Amino acid sequence: MLPDRKEAESFLRESEEIHPGPWADHCRTAAECAEKIARNCSGLDPEKAYIIGLLHDIGRRIETGTHFKHIVDGYECMMEYGYDEVARVCMTHSFQIKNIESYIGKIDVPEEKSEMVRTFLNHIELDDYDLLIQLCDAIALPEGPVSMEKRLRDIEERYGSYPEDKRQRCYELKAYFEEKMGRSLYDVIGIDEITLP
């Protein structure tokens, strides 16, 4: 189940008022990219793509400055509202490599919560919506869409490193969606490739 577009936008605005920060504009950028990509992919619903992109980091509503905790907070918050399709993406968006050891940042939750995430990841197959938001998370800055190189460099500067296997997976996701679209990712999201990175 999903909120509709207006409900999702209202929920994000309310959440941003609770805990202001660049995270909300990052979500808006991811949502806009997800919608554009989905419009160019057979079998993907652009409206759903926009909504789950908009709310993928909604755990920041609960507490800002968290690392792994925002995944758990987002999942639990969305499940409380009955939005299980959003909750799923709150859980999967940080795991291009599908295990919690691949997480960049602190595991700032009790062991039982990290075990909950581990169990969740072990029991699902990532679908194209999961992969789409993982991709959009890797090209979205608060100011707008950027090249993957620039976004991953931004993460690396903030966290000190970006694992090579995770980096490679991001590029695989880019190639996967470019093949589905039959177009350049940067063309679809409106980045001038001449000015990259």
Side-chain angles (χ1 to χ4, degrees):
M1 188 173 148
L2 289 169
D4 67 27
R5 190 183 189 101
K6 284 188 177 177
E7 287 170 335
E9 289 172 344
S10 175
F11 197 81
L12 182 64
R13 279 194 304 273
E14 177 189 290
S15 302
E16 186 178 22
E17 287 170 11
I18 294 168
H19 284 118
W23 69 271
D25 282 337
H26 158 74
C27 288
R28 291 181 180 102
T29 300
E32 289 164 8
C33 290
E35 183 176 33
K36 288 175 181 176
I37 295 165
R39 263 199 219 113
N40 286 272
C41 289
S42 174
L44 287 179
D45 175 4
E47 192 75 358
K48 175 176 177 177
Y50 177 86
I51 291 163
I52 62 176
L54 196 68
L55 299 178
H56 78 276
D57 267 347
I58 203 64
R60 306 285 183 203
R61 168 192 177 93
I62 311 302
E63 187 178 349
T64 54
T66 60
H67 293 250
F68 193 91
K69 187 174 185 291
H70 89 280
I71 294 166
V72 175
D73 285 344
Y75 176 80
E76 291 178 342
C77 175
M78 290 292 91
M79 288 301 286
E80 282 177 24
Y81 282 87
Y83 299 143
D84 58 319
E85 293 174 83
V86 181
R88 174 189 170 110
V89 171
C90 289
M91 193 74 93
T92 62
H93 76 274
S94 292
F95 299 104
Q96 294 93 343
I97 307 293
K98 208 178 75 160
N99 63 64
I100 69 168
E101 287 72 27
S102 73
Y103 185 74
I104 301 170
K106 297 174 188 169
I107 308 293
D108 51 355
V109 295
E111 176 58 31
E112 63 268 20
K113 295 290 188 180
S114 57
E115 190 55 39
M116 177 188 81
V117 178
R118 183 181 284 110
T119 300
F120 183 92
L121 293 174
N122 285 342
H123 287 86
I124 63 159
E125 287 298 321
L126 298 179
D127 66 19
D128 277 353
Y129 290 103
D130 297 307
L131 302 181
L132 176 62
I133 304 309
Q134 289 176 355
L135 172 64
C136 292
D137 198 26
I139 54 174
L141 284 177
E143 300 78 25
V146 293
S147 70
M148 191 169 283
E149 292 87 346
K150 185 169 183 176
R151 168 67 171 148
L152 299 188
R153 193 163 57 241
D154 166 69
I155 296 169
E156 192 169 14
E157 286 169 0
R158 287 186 289 120
Y159 290 95
S161 66
Y162 199 95
E164 190 55 34
D165 59 347
K166 201 170 171 89
R167 186 184 306 272
Q168 281 305 117
R169 181 60 184 149
C170 288
Y171 283 102
E172 287 170 11
L173 291 172
K174 178 177 180 284
Y176 174 73
F177 280 99
E178 285 181 329
E179 185 174 348
K180 285 180 77 69
M181 294 186 293
R183 295 178 64 190
S184 156
L185 171 67
Y186 298 142
D187 179 46
V188 170
I189 65 172
I191 294 178
D192 183 356
E193 297 198 46
I194 296 171
T195 65
L196 294 179

PDB file of all heavy atoms in Angstrom, residues 22-52:
ATOM      1  N   PRO A  22      18.966  19.104   4.759  1.00  0.00           N
ATOM      2  CA  PRO A  22      19.048  18.866   3.314  1.00  0.00           C
ATOM      3  C   PRO A  22      18.486  17.515   2.885  1.00  0.00           C
ATOM      4  O   PRO A  22      18.263  17.283   1.700  1.00  0.00           O
ATOM      5  CB  PRO A  22      20.547  18.962   3.010  1.00  0.00           C
ATOM      6  CG  PRO A  22      21.233  18.718   4.324  1.00  0.00           C
ATOM      7  CD  PRO A  22      20.299  19.225   5.375  1.00  0.00           C
ATOM      8  N   TRP A  23      18.238  16.624   3.840  1.00  0.00           N
ATOM      9  CA  TRP A  23      17.736  15.289   3.515  1.00  0.00           C
ATOM     10  C   TRP A  23      16.425  15.333   2.728  1.00  0.00           C
ATOM     11  O   TRP A  23      16.199  14.510   1.837  1.00  0.00           O
ATOM     12  CB  TRP A  23      17.574  14.444   4.794  1.00  0.00           C
ATOM     13  CG  TRP A  23      16.469  14.891   5.704  1.00  0.00           C
ATOM     14  CD1 TRP A  23      16.545  15.810   6.709  1.00  0.00           C
ATOM     15  CD2 TRP A  23      15.113  14.430   5.695  1.00  0.00           C
ATOM     16  NE1 TRP A  23      15.327  15.965   7.317  1.00  0.00           N
ATOM     17  CE2 TRP A  23      14.426  15.124   6.722  1.00  0.00           C
ATOM     18  CE3 TRP A  23      14.400  13.510   4.927  1.00  0.00           C
ATOM     19  CZ2 TRP A  23      13.069  14.914   6.991  1.00  0.00           C
ATOM     20  CZ3 TRP A  23      13.057  13.300   5.189  1.00  0.00           C
ATOM     21  CH2 TRP A  23      12.405  13.998   6.218  1.00  0.00           C
ATOM     22  N   ALA A  24      15.564  16.299   3.048  1.00  0.00           N
ATOM     23  CA  ALA A  24      14.248  16.355   2.387  1.00  0.00           C
ATOM     24  C   ALA A  24      14.393  16.724   0.912  1.00  0.00           C
ATOM     25  O   ALA A  24      13.722  16.141   0.046  1.00  0.00           O
ATOM     26  CB  ALA A  24      13.324  17.325   3.115  1.00  0.00           C
ATOM     27  N   ASP A  25      15.273  17.678   0.608  1.00  0.00           N
ATOM     28  CA  ASP A  25      15.489  18.032  -0.803  1.00  0.00           C
ATOM     29  C   ASP A  25      16.202  16.910  -1.548  1.00  0.00           C
ATOM     30  O   ASP A  25      15.963  16.707  -2.748  1.00  0.00           O
ATOM     31  CB  ASP A  25      16.261  19.351  -0.927  1.00  0.00           C
ATOM     32  CG  ASP A  25      15.372  20.563  -0.697  1.00  0.00           C
ATOM     33  OD1 ASP A  25      14.135  20.452  -0.868  1.00  0.00           O
ATOM     34  OD2 ASP A  25      15.904  21.633  -0.344  1.00  0.00           O
ATOM     35  N   HIS A  26      17.067  16.177  -0.868  1.00  0.00           N
ATOM     36  CA  HIS A  26      17.666  14.978  -1.469  1.00  0.00           C
ATOM     37  C   HIS A  26      16.556  14.003  -1.884  1.00  0.00           C
ATOM     38  O   HIS A  26      16.588  13.432  -2.981  1.00  0.00           O
ATOM     39  CB  HIS A  26      18.625  14.318  -0.476  1.00  0.00           C
ATOM     40  CG  HIS A  26      18.887  12.872  -0.755  1.00  0.00           C
ATOM     41  ND1 HIS A  26      19.683  12.439  -1.799  1.00  0.00           N
ATOM     42  CD2 HIS A  26      18.449  11.750  -0.113  1.00  0.00           C
ATOM     43  CE1 HIS A  26      19.712  11.104  -1.797  1.00  0.00           C
ATOM     44  NE2 HIS A  26      18.976  10.667  -0.781  1.00  0.00           N
ATOM     45  N   CYS A  27      15.566  13.820  -0.996  1.00  0.00           N
ATOM     46  CA  CYS A  27      14.436  12.925  -1.305  1.00  0.00           C
ATOM     47  C   CYS A  27      13.642  13.431  -2.494  1.00  0.00           C
ATOM     48  O   CYS A  27      13.207  12.638  -3.344  1.00  0.00           O
ATOM     49  CB  CYS A  27      13.530  12.782  -0.086  1.00  0.00           C
ATOM     50  SG  CYS A  27      14.230  11.799   1.253  1.00  0.00           S
ATOM     51  N   ARG A  28      13.433  14.736  -2.566  1.00  0.00           N
ATOM     52  CA  ARG A  28      12.683  15.304  -3.700  1.00  0.00           C
ATOM     53  C   ARG A  28      13.432  15.064  -5.010  1.00  0.00           C
ATOM     54  O   ARG A  28      12.825  14.728  -6.030  1.00  0.00           O
ATOM     55  CB  ARG A  28      12.442  16.795  -3.472  1.00  0.00           C
ATOM     56  CG  ARG A  28      11.470  17.083  -2.333  1.00  0.00           C
ATOM     57  CD  ARG A  28      11.217  18.579  -2.128  1.00  0.00           C
ATOM     58  NE  ARG A  28      10.286  18.772  -1.027  1.00  0.00           N
ATOM     59  CZ  ARG A  28      10.643  19.145   0.213  1.00  0.00           C
ATOM     60  NH1 ARG A  28      11.928  19.392   0.483  1.00  0.00           N
ATOM     61  NH2 ARG A  28       9.734  19.280   1.152  1.00  0.00           N
ATOM     62  N   THR A  29      14.750  15.245  -4.982  1.00  0.00           N
ATOM     63  CA  THR A  29      15.543  14.983  -6.187  1.00  0.00           C
ATOM     64  C   THR A  29      15.437  13.521  -6.586  1.00  0.00           C
ATOM     65  O   THR A  29      15.224  13.206  -7.766  1.00  0.00           O
ATOM     66  CB  THR A  29      17.021  15.350  -5.945  1.00  0.00           C
ATOM     67  OG1 THR A  29      17.130  16.737  -5.606  1.00  0.00           O
ATOM     68  CG2 THR A  29      17.860  15.083  -7.187  1.00  0.00           C
ATOM     69  N   ALA A  30      15.587  12.612  -5.615  1.00  0.00           N
ATOM     70  CA  ALA A  30      15.494  11.174  -5.909  1.00  0.00           C
ATOM     71  C   ALA A  30      14.134  10.838  -6.503  1.00  0.00           C
ATOM     72  O   ALA A  30      14.030  10.048  -7.459  1.00  0.00           O
ATOM     73  CB  ALA A  30      15.752  10.364  -4.640  1.00  0.00           C
ATOM     74  N   ALA A  31      13.076  11.440  -5.965  1.00  0.00           N
ATOM     75  CA  ALA A  31      11.722  11.176  -6.448  1.00  0.00           C
ATOM     76  C   ALA A  31      11.546  11.632  -7.897  1.00  0.00           C
ATOM     77  O   ALA A  31      10.968  10.903  -8.728  1.00  0.00           O
ATOM     78  CB  ALA A  31      10.704  11.884  -5.553  1.00  0.00           C
ATOM     79  N   GLU A  32      12.031  12.821  -8.207  1.00  0.00           N
ATOM     80  CA  GLU A  32      11.907  13.344  -9.574  1.00  0.00           C
ATOM     81  C   GLU A  32      12.678  12.466 -10.562  1.00  0.00           C
ATOM     82  O   GLU A  32      12.194  12.183 -11.660  1.00  0.00           O
ATOM     83  CB  GLU A  32      12.396  14.792  -9.621  1.00  0.00           C
ATOM     84  CG  GLU A  32      11.437  15.748  -8.919  1.00  0.00           C
ATOM     85  CD  GLU A  32      12.058  17.109  -8.608  1.00  0.00           C
ATOM     86  OE1 GLU A  32      13.195  17.379  -9.079  1.00  0.00           O
ATOM     87  OE2 GLU A  32      11.412  17.895  -7.893  1.00  0.00           O
ATOM     88  N   CYS A  33      13.879  12.021 -10.156  1.00  0.00           N
ATOM     89  CA  CYS A  33      14.662  11.136 -11.017  1.00  0.00           C
ATOM     90  C   CYS A  33      13.943   9.806 -11.211  1.00  0.00           C
ATOM     91  O   CYS A  33      13.869   9.282 -12.333  1.00  0.00           O
ATOM     92  CB  CYS A  33      16.047  10.893 -10.413  1.00  0.00           C
ATOM     93  SG  CYS A  33      17.132  12.341 -10.446  1.00  0.00           S
ATOM     94  N   ALA A  34      13.414   9.252 -10.125  1.00  0.00           N
ATOM     95  CA  ALA A  34      12.724   7.961 -10.198  1.00  0.00           C
ATOM     96  C   ALA A  34      11.526   8.038 -11.137  1.00  0.00           C
ATOM     97  O   ALA A  34      11.283   7.120 -11.941  1.00  0.00           O
ATOM     98  CB  ALA A  34      12.289   7.521  -8.797  1.00  0.00           C
ATOM     99  N   GLU A  35      10.781   9.124 -11.047  1.00  0.00           N
ATOM    100  CA  GLU A  35       9.613   9.283 -11.917  1.00  0.00           C
ATOM    101  C   GLU A  35      10.030   9.351 -13.385  1.00  0.00           C
ATOM    102  O   GLU A  35       9.417   8.708 -14.247  1.00  0.00           O
ATOM    103  CB  GLU A  35       8.846  10.541 -11.517  1.00  0.00           C
ATOM    104  CG  GLU A  35       7.573  10.766 -12.301  1.00  0.00           C
ATOM    105  CD  GLU A  35       6.790  11.976 -11.819  1.00  0.00           C
ATOM    106  OE1 GLU A  35       7.414  12.968 -11.379  1.00  0.00           O
ATOM    107  OE2 GLU A  35       5.557  11.933 -11.884  1.00  0.00           O
ATOM    108  N   LYS A  36      11.068  10.105 -13.682  1.00  0.00           N
ATOM    109  CA  LYS A  36      11.529  10.250 -15.069  1.00  0.00           C
ATOM    110  C   LYS A  36      12.021   8.910 -15.632  1.00  0.00           C
ATOM    111  O   LYS A  36      11.721   8.559 -16.777  1.00  0.00           O
ATOM    112  CB  LYS A  36      12.643  11.293 -15.141  1.00  0.00           C
ATOM    113  CG  LYS A  36      12.158  12.714 -14.954  1.00  0.00           C
ATOM    114  CD  LYS A  36      13.329  13.694 -14.916  1.00  0.00           C
ATOM    115  CE  LYS A  36      12.826  15.113 -14.694  1.00  0.00           C
ATOM    116  NZ  LYS A  36      13.947  16.082 -14.547  1.00  0.00           N
ATOM    117  N   ILE A  37      12.773   8.192 -14.815  1.00  0.00           N
ATOM    118  CA  ILE A  37      13.296   6.895 -15.272  1.00  0.00           C
ATOM    119  C   ILE A  37      12.145   5.916 -15.486  1.00  0.00           C
ATOM    120  O   ILE A  37      12.079   5.225 -16.503  1.00  0.00           O
ATOM    121  CB  ILE A  37      14.318   6.341 -14.261  1.00  0.00           C
ATOM    122  CG1 ILE A  37      15.555   7.251 -14.206  1.00  0.00           C
ATOM    123  CG2 ILE A  37      14.719   4.907 -14.616  1.00  0.00           C
ATOM    124  CD1 ILE A  37      16.460   7.014 -13.008  1.00  0.00           C
ATOM    125  N   ALA A  38      11.220   5.861 -14.536  1.00  0.00           N
ATOM    126  CA  ALA A  38      10.091   4.930 -14.641  1.00  0.00           C
ATOM    127  C   ALA A  38       9.249   5.219 -15.875  1.00  0.00           C
ATOM    128  O   ALA A  38       8.711   4.291 -16.499  1.00  0.00           O
ATOM    129  CB  ALA A  38       9.231   4.996 -13.378  1.00  0.00           C
ATOM    130  N   ARG A  39       9.115   6.492 -16.253  1.00  0.00           N
ATOM    131  CA  ARG A  39       8.354   6.854 -17.457  1.00  0.00           C
ATOM    132  C   ARG A  39       8.962   6.241 -18.715  1.00  0.00           C
ATOM    133  O   ARG A  39       8.281   6.055 -19.721  1.00  0.00           O
ATOM    134  CB  ARG A  39       8.342   8.381 -17.628  1.00  0.00           C
ATOM    135  CG  ARG A  39       7.105   9.020 -17.079  1.00  0.00           C
ATOM    136  CD  ARG A  39       6.917  10.422 -17.666  1.00  0.00           C
ATOM    137  NE  ARG A  39       6.429  11.284 -16.617  1.00  0.00           N
ATOM    138  CZ  ARG A  39       7.091  12.297 -16.071  1.00  0.00           C
ATOM    139  NH1 ARG A  39       8.299  12.609 -16.501  1.00  0.00           N
ATOM    140  NH2 ARG A  39       6.564  13.009 -15.111  1.00  0.00           N
ATOM    141  N   ASN A  40      10.257   5.965 -18.628  1.00  0.00           N
ATOM    142  CA  ASN A  40      10.973   5.430 -19.786  1.00  0.00           C
ATOM    143  C   ASN A  40      11.197   3.923 -19.719  1.00  0.00           C
ATOM    144  O   ASN A  40      11.908   3.372 -20.556  1.00  0.00           O
ATOM    145  CB  ASN A  40      12.322   6.148 -19.935  1.00  0.00           C
ATOM    146  CG  ASN A  40      12.172   7.558 -20.467  1.00  0.00           C
ATOM    147  OD1 ASN A  40      12.160   7.762 -21.673  1.00  0.00           O
ATOM    148  ND2 ASN A  40      12.035   8.528 -19.580  1.00  0.00           N
ATOM    149  N   CYS A  41      10.626   3.275 -18.704  1.00  0.00           N
ATOM    150  CA  CYS A  41      10.806   1.831 -18.516  1.00  0.00           C
ATOM    151  C   CYS A  41       9.462   1.120 -18.585  1.00  0.00           C
ATOM    152  O   CYS A  41       8.552   1.434 -17.810  1.00  0.00           O
ATOM    153  CB  CYS A  41      11.431   1.529 -17.152  1.00  0.00           C
ATOM    154  SG  CYS A  41      13.155   2.002 -16.997  1.00  0.00           S
ATOM    155  N   SER A  42       9.358   0.160 -19.445  1.00  0.00           N
ATOM    156  CA  SER A  42       8.153  -0.662 -19.515  1.00  0.00           C
ATOM    157  C   SER A  42       7.968  -1.415 -18.198  1.00  0.00           C
ATOM    158  O   SER A  42       8.924  -1.949 -17.639  1.00  0.00           O
ATOM    159  CB  SER A  42       8.295  -1.646 -20.673  1.00  0.00           C
ATOM    160  OG  SER A  42       7.225  -2.548 -20.683  1.00  0.00           O
ATOM    161  N   GLY A  43       6.736  -1.405 -17.684  1.00  0.00           N
ATOM    162  CA  GLY A  43       6.426  -2.174 -16.485  1.00  0.00           C
ATOM    163  C   GLY A  43       6.620  -1.442 -15.176  1.00  0.00           C
ATOM    164  O   GLY A  43       6.334  -1.998 -14.114  1.00  0.00           O
ATOM    165  N   LEU A  44       7.115  -0.218 -15.201  1.00  0.00           N
ATOM    166  CA  LEU A  44       7.265   0.571 -13.978  1.00  0.00           C
ATOM    167  C   LEU A  44       6.243   1.697 -13.955  1.00  0.00           C
ATOM    168  O   LEU A  44       6.000   2.354 -14.967  1.00  0.00           O
ATOM    169  CB  LEU A  44       8.675   1.152 -13.860  1.00  0.00           C
ATOM    170  CG  LEU A  44       9.808   0.176 -13.507  1.00  0.00           C
ATOM    171  CD1 LEU A  44      11.136   0.911 -13.451  1.00  0.00           C
ATOM    172  CD2 LEU A  44       9.546  -0.527 -12.176  1.00  0.00           C
ATOM    173  N   ASP A  45       5.657   1.921 -12.795  1.00  0.00           N
ATOM    174  CA  ASP A  45       4.643   2.960 -12.606  1.00  0.00           C
ATOM    175  C   ASP A  45       5.329   4.242 -12.135  1.00  0.00           C
ATOM    176  O   ASP A  45       5.880   4.266 -11.019  1.00  0.00           O
ATOM    177  CB  ASP A  45       3.632   2.469 -11.566  1.00  0.00           C
ATOM    178  CG  ASP A  45       2.587   3.516 -11.206  1.00  0.00           C
ATOM    179  OD1 ASP A  45       2.585   4.617 -11.803  1.00  0.00           O
ATOM    180  OD2 ASP A  45       1.771   3.235 -10.310  1.00  0.00           O
ATOM    181  N   PRO A  46       5.327   5.297 -12.943  1.00  0.00           N
ATOM    182  CA  PRO A  46       6.016   6.537 -12.562  1.00  0.00           C
ATOM    183  C   PRO A  46       5.501   7.139 -11.251  1.00  0.00           C
ATOM    184  O   PRO A  46       6.281   7.715 -10.481  1.00  0.00           O
ATOM    185  CB  PRO A  46       5.754   7.482 -13.739  1.00  0.00           C
ATOM    186  CG  PRO A  46       5.458   6.585 -14.888  1.00  0.00           C
ATOM    187  CD  PRO A  46       4.776   5.387 -14.304  1.00  0.00           C
ATOM    188  N   GLU A  47       4.199   7.005 -10.994  1.00  0.00           N
ATOM    189  CA  GLU A  47       3.629   7.574  -9.764  1.00  0.00           C
ATOM    190  C   GLU A  47       4.168   6.841  -8.533  1.00  0.00           C
ATOM    191  O   GLU A  47       4.569   7.466  -7.550  1.00  0.00           O
ATOM    192  CB  GLU A  47       2.102   7.484  -9.819  1.00  0.00           C
ATOM    193  CG  GLU A  47       1.393   8.295  -8.761  1.00  0.00           C
ATOM    194  CD  GLU A  47       1.381   9.799  -9.037  1.00  0.00           C
ATOM    195  OE1 GLU A  47       1.961  10.262 -10.042  1.00  0.00           O
ATOM    196  OE2 GLU A  47       0.797  10.530  -8.233  1.00  0.00           O
ATOM    197  N   LYS A  48       4.176   5.522  -8.587  1.00  0.00           N
ATOM    198  CA  LYS A  48       4.739   4.742  -7.481  1.00  0.00           C
ATOM    199  C   LYS A  48       6.223   5.069  -7.303  1.00  0.00           C
ATOM    200  O   LYS A  48       6.692   5.241  -6.176  1.00  0.00           O
ATOM    201  CB  LYS A  48       4.559   3.242  -7.730  1.00  0.00           C
ATOM    202  CG  LYS A  48       5.235   2.382  -6.664  1.00  0.00           C
ATOM    203  CD  LYS A  48       4.989   0.891  -6.853  1.00  0.00           C
ATOM    204  CE  LYS A  48       5.742   0.078  -5.814  1.00  0.00           C
ATOM    205  NZ  LYS A  48       5.468  -1.368  -5.909  1.00  0.00           N
ATOM    206  N   ALA A  49       6.944   5.161  -8.407  1.00  0.00           N
ATOM    207  CA  ALA A  49       8.376   5.459  -8.348  1.00  0.00           C
ATOM    208  C   ALA A  49       8.618   6.799  -7.639  1.00  0.00           C
ATOM    209  O   ALA A  49       9.514   6.915  -6.790  1.00  0.00           O
ATOM    210  CB  ALA A  49       8.965   5.485  -9.754  1.00  0.00           C
ATOM    211  N   TYR A  50       7.806   7.796  -7.990  1.00  0.00           N
ATOM    212  CA  TYR A  50       7.938   9.110  -7.366  1.00  0.00           C
ATOM    213  C   TYR A  50       7.683   9.033  -5.858  1.00  0.00           C
ATOM    214  O   TYR A  50       8.451   9.569  -5.049  1.00  0.00           O
ATOM    215  CB  TYR A  50       6.958  10.086  -8.018  1.00  0.00           C
ATOM    216  CG  TYR A  50       6.962  11.467  -7.401  1.00  0.00           C
ATOM    217  CD1 TYR A  50       7.874  12.433  -7.814  1.00  0.00           C
ATOM    218  CD2 TYR A  50       6.054  11.802  -6.390  1.00  0.00           C
ATOM    219  CE1 TYR A  50       7.887  13.700  -7.237  1.00  0.00           C
ATOM    220  CE2 TYR A  50       6.066  13.066  -5.813  1.00  0.00           C
ATOM    221  CZ  TYR A  50       6.974  14.008  -6.242  1.00  0.00           C
ATOM    222  OH  TYR A  50       6.985  15.255  -5.659  1.00  0.00           O
ATOM    223  N   ILE A  51       6.622   8.360  -5.469  1.00  0.00           N
ATOM    224  CA  ILE A  51       6.219   8.310  -4.054  1.00  0.00           C
ATOM    225  C   ILE A  51       7.250   7.582  -3.207  1.00  0.00           C
ATOM    226  O   ILE A  51       7.649   8.071  -2.138  1.00  0.00           O
ATOM    227  CB  ILE A  51       4.826   7.667  -3.920  1.00  0.00           C
ATOM    228  CG1 ILE A  51       3.767   8.601  -4.509  1.00  0.00           C
ATOM    229  CG2 ILE A  51       4.499   7.335  -2.464  1.00  0.00           C
ATOM    230  CD1 ILE A  51       2.431   7.933  -4.813  1.00  0.00           C
ATOM    231  N   ILE A  52       7.723   6.429  -3.678  1.00  0.00           N
ATOM    232  CA  ILE A  52       8.705   5.701  -2.866  1.00  0.00           C
ATOM    233  C   ILE A  52      10.047   6.417  -2.855  1.00  0.00           C
ATOM    234  O   ILE A  52      10.775   6.377  -1.855  1.00  0.00           O
ATOM    235  CB  ILE A  52       8.852   4.222  -3.292  1.00  0.00           C
ATOM    236  CG1 ILE A  52       9.341   4.087  -4.726  1.00  0.00           C
ATOM    237  CG2 ILE A  52       7.553   3.463  -3.056  1.00  0.00           C
ATOM    238  CD1 ILE A  52       9.602   2.644  -5.168  1.00  0.00           C
TER     239      ILE A  52
END
